Amino acid sequence: MTAPLRLLPAGPATEEHPRPARALHAIARISHGPVPLDFDRLAAEFPAVQSGLALAGEADLELRLACTGPEELRTIAAALHRAGAARVRIDLVLRSLTPAPVTLRPVP
């Protein structure tokens, strides 16, 4: 049995209590233990989870995270270990890369 995954209290943002900005972006590569981690549950429990990929290779799961700061990122990493992850590797995202539009040239 794994520990429940809890991070931030749920509830709608209000003018008095707006949701914090999520300026710290990271990629978490996770190798799960004997029991696979449930991506849907992780995404529901952690507002920072933006998307994920199930992988074949060294890591089993990759999560794209958008955190409010280093404290939330540390909390997520600790909760992933408590939930049964055998290994968690966090890489900070420095910038996002997008391909430039393709320029078509006429054929002479």
Side-chain angles (χ1 to χ4, degrees):
M1 187 79 179
T2 60
L5 301 174
R6 294 276 177 219
L7 181 59
L8 298 175
T14 64
E15 286 185 29
E16 295 173 3
H17 302 289
R19 295 265 179 194
R22 298 193 169 277
L24 178 61
H25 293 259
I27 302 293
R29 289 180 183 86
I30 303 158
S31 299
H32 50 67
V35 177
L37 297 174
D38 183 355
F39 170 76
D40 293 323
R41 180 175 174 204
L42 292 172
E45 294 288 332
F46 295 117
V49 175
Q50 303 297 299
S51 65
L53 297 169
L55 304 173
E58 192 172 320
D60 297 308
L61 185 63
E62 179 177 281
L63 301 178
R64 187 174 61 87
L65 305 170
C67 299
T68 57
E71 184 61 34
E72 182 180 26
L73 185 58
R74 282 191 292 273
T75 302
I76 290 171
L80 289 169
H81 283 290
R82 285 192 309 272
R87 191 173 125 213
V88 177
R89 177 179 161 194
I90 304 284
D91 293 314
L92 298 179
V93 175
L94 301 178
R95 63 183 173 155
S96 180
L97 304 175
T98 55
V102 176
T103 304
L104 299 176
R105 297 183 182 147
V107 178

